[in-house]
Short mmCIF file of all heavy atoms in Angstrom, two decimals:
data_model
loop_
_atom_site.label_atom_id
_atom_site.label_comp_id
_atom_site.label_asym_id
_atom_site.label_seq_id
_atom_site.Cartn_x
_atom_site.Cartn_y
_atom_site.Cartn_z
N PRO A 20 -8.08 9.38 -3.20
CA PRO A 20 -8.75 8.14 -3.61
C PRO A 20 -10.24 8.38 -3.86
O PRO A 20 -10.84 9.29 -3.29
CB PRO A 20 -8.58 7.21 -2.41
CG PRO A 20 -7.68 7.88 -1.46
CD PRO A 20 -7.56 9.30 -1.85
N ASP A 21 -10.81 7.55 -4.69
CA ASP A 21 -12.24 7.57 -4.93
C ASP A 21 -12.89 6.78 -3.80
O ASP A 21 -12.91 5.56 -3.82
CB ASP A 21 -12.54 6.94 -6.30
CG ASP A 21 -14.01 6.96 -6.66
OD1 ASP A 21 -14.86 7.15 -5.75
OD2 ASP A 21 -14.31 6.77 -7.85
N LEU A 22 -13.40 7.50 -2.81
CA LEU A 22 -13.91 6.85 -1.61
C LEU A 22 -15.17 6.03 -1.88
O LEU A 22 -15.38 4.99 -1.25
CB LEU A 22 -14.17 7.89 -0.52
CG LEU A 22 -12.91 8.65 -0.07
CD1 LEU A 22 -13.26 9.70 0.98
CD2 LEU A 22 -11.86 7.70 0.46
N ALA A 23 -15.98 6.46 -2.82
CA ALA A 23 -17.17 5.67 -3.18
C ALA A 23 -16.76 4.34 -3.78
O ALA A 23 -17.33 3.29 -3.45
CB ALA A 23 -18.06 6.46 -4.14
N MET A 24 -15.75 4.36 -4.65
CA MET A 24 -15.26 3.12 -5.24
C MET A 24 -14.63 2.23 -4.17
O MET A 24 -14.83 1.02 -4.16
CB MET A 24 -14.24 3.41 -6.35
CG MET A 24 -13.66 2.16 -6.97
SD MET A 24 -14.90 1.11 -7.75
CE MET A 24 -15.26 2.06 -9.20
N ARG A 25 -13.90 2.84 -3.26
CA ARG A 25 -13.28 2.07 -2.17
C ARG A 25 -14.36 1.37 -1.35
O ARG A 25 -14.24 0.19 -1.02
CB ARG A 25 -12.44 2.98 -1.27
CG ARG A 25 -11.70 2.22 -0.20
CD ARG A 25 -10.96 3.12 0.74
NE ARG A 25 -9.74 3.64 0.12
CZ ARG A 25 -8.93 4.49 0.73
NH1 ARG A 25 -9.19 4.92 1.95
NH2 ARG A 25 -7.84 4.91 0.13
N ARG A 26 -15.44 2.08 -1.02
CA ARG A 26 -16.53 1.47 -0.26
C ARG A 26 -17.16 0.32 -1.03
O ARG A 26 -17.48 -0.72 -0.46
CB ARG A 26 -17.59 2.52 0.10
CG ARG A 26 -17.23 3.37 1.29
CD ARG A 26 -18.39 4.22 1.77
NE ARG A 26 -18.84 5.18 0.78
CZ ARG A 26 -18.33 6.39 0.60
NH1 ARG A 26 -17.33 6.79 1.36
NH2 ARG A 26 -18.81 7.21 -0.32
N ARG A 27 -17.34 0.50 -2.36
CA ARG A 27 -17.90 -0.57 -3.18
C ARG A 27 -17.02 -1.81 -3.17
O ARG A 27 -17.51 -2.93 -3.04
CB ARG A 27 -18.08 -0.09 -4.63
CG ARG A 27 -19.51 0.23 -4.95
CD ARG A 27 -19.67 0.64 -6.38
NE ARG A 27 -19.57 2.10 -6.36
CZ ARG A 27 -19.07 2.86 -7.30
NH1 ARG A 27 -18.61 2.33 -8.40
NH2 ARG A 27 -19.04 4.15 -7.18
N VAL A 28 -15.71 -1.61 -3.29
CA VAL A 28 -14.79 -2.75 -3.30
C VAL A 28 -14.78 -3.43 -1.93
O VAL A 28 -14.87 -4.66 -1.85
CB VAL A 28 -13.37 -2.32 -3.72
CG1 VAL A 28 -12.38 -3.47 -3.56
CG2 VAL A 28 -13.35 -1.80 -5.15
N VAL A 29 -14.74 -2.65 -0.87
CA VAL A 29 -14.77 -3.23 0.48
C VAL A 29 -16.06 -4.00 0.70
O VAL A 29 -16.04 -5.10 1.26
CB VAL A 29 -14.58 -2.13 1.56
CG1 VAL A 29 -14.88 -2.64 2.94
CG2 VAL A 29 -13.17 -1.56 1.50
N ARG A 30 -17.18 -3.47 0.22
CA ARG A 30 -18.46 -4.15 0.35
C ARG A 30 -18.44 -5.48 -0.41
O ARG A 30 -18.97 -6.48 0.05
CB ARG A 30 -19.59 -3.25 -0.15
CG ARG A 30 -20.91 -3.54 0.47
CD ARG A 30 -22.03 -2.57 0.08
NE ARG A 30 -21.75 -1.71 -1.05
CZ ARG A 30 -21.67 -0.37 -0.98
NH1 ARG A 30 -21.87 0.24 0.16
NH2 ARG A 30 -21.43 0.34 -2.05
N SER A 31 -17.79 -5.49 -1.58
CA SER A 31 -17.73 -6.74 -2.36
C SER A 31 -16.86 -7.80 -1.69
O SER A 31 -16.99 -8.98 -1.97
CB SER A 31 -17.22 -6.46 -3.77
OG SER A 31 -15.84 -6.18 -3.77
N LEU A 32 -15.98 -7.37 -0.79
CA LEU A 32 -15.09 -8.31 -0.09
C LEU A 32 -15.67 -8.80 1.25
O LEU A 32 -15.11 -9.68 1.88
CB LEU A 32 -13.73 -7.64 0.19
CG LEU A 32 -12.93 -7.14 -1.00
CD1 LEU A 32 -11.73 -6.34 -0.54
CD2 LEU A 32 -12.52 -8.29 -1.89
N GLN A 33 -16.79 -8.24 1.67
CA GLN A 33 -17.34 -8.52 3.00
C GLN A 33 -17.58 -9.99 3.28
O GLN A 33 -17.36 -10.45 4.39
CB GLN A 33 -18.65 -7.76 3.21
CG GLN A 33 -18.45 -6.34 3.63
CD GLN A 33 -19.77 -5.65 3.86
OE1 GLN A 33 -20.82 -6.07 3.36
NE2 GLN A 33 -19.73 -4.55 4.59
N ARG A 34 -18.02 -10.75 2.32
CA ARG A 34 -18.37 -12.15 2.57
C ARG A 34 -17.17 -13.07 2.60
O ARG A 34 -17.30 -14.23 2.97
CB ARG A 34 -19.36 -12.63 1.51
CG ARG A 34 -20.67 -11.91 1.65
CD ARG A 34 -21.73 -12.53 0.84
NE ARG A 34 -22.98 -11.82 1.13
CZ ARG A 34 -24.08 -12.02 0.50
NH1 ARG A 34 -24.12 -12.90 -0.47
NH2 ARG A 34 -25.15 -11.33 0.82
N ARG A 35 -16.03 -12.56 2.23
CA ARG A 35 -14.83 -13.39 2.25
C ARG A 35 -14.30 -13.49 3.67
O ARG A 35 -14.42 -12.55 4.46
CB ARG A 35 -13.74 -12.78 1.38
CG ARG A 35 -14.06 -12.77 -0.09
CD ARG A 35 -12.90 -12.21 -0.85
NE ARG A 35 -13.17 -12.15 -2.28
CZ ARG A 35 -12.31 -11.66 -3.16
NH1 ARG A 35 -11.13 -11.21 -2.75
NH2 ARG A 35 -12.62 -11.63 -4.44
N PRO A 36 -13.68 -14.62 4.01
CA PRO A 36 -13.07 -14.73 5.34
C PRO A 36 -11.85 -13.81 5.43
O PRO A 36 -11.18 -13.56 4.44
CB PRO A 36 -12.66 -16.20 5.42
CG PRO A 36 -12.55 -16.65 4.02
CD PRO A 36 -13.52 -15.84 3.22
N SER A 37 -11.60 -13.30 6.61
CA SER A 37 -10.46 -12.44 6.85
C SER A 37 -9.32 -13.28 7.42
O SER A 37 -9.46 -13.89 8.48
CB SER A 37 -10.83 -11.31 7.81
OG SER A 37 -9.75 -10.44 7.94
N LEU A 38 -8.21 -13.32 6.72
CA LEU A 38 -7.07 -14.12 7.14
C LEU A 38 -5.97 -13.22 7.70
O LEU A 38 -5.77 -12.11 7.22
CB LEU A 38 -6.50 -14.91 5.96
CG LEU A 38 -7.46 -15.84 5.22
CD1 LEU A 38 -6.75 -16.48 4.03
CD2 LEU A 38 -7.99 -16.91 6.15
#
Side-chain angles (χ1 to χ4, degrees):
D21 182 342
L22 298 178
M24 178 60 74
R25 185 184 284 178
R26 280 190 298 274
R27 257 182 266 147
V28 173
V29 168
R30 207 175 14 244
S31 73
L32 301 172
Q33 278 181 340
R34 294 191 176 173
R35 293 183 182 178
S37 185
L38 303 177

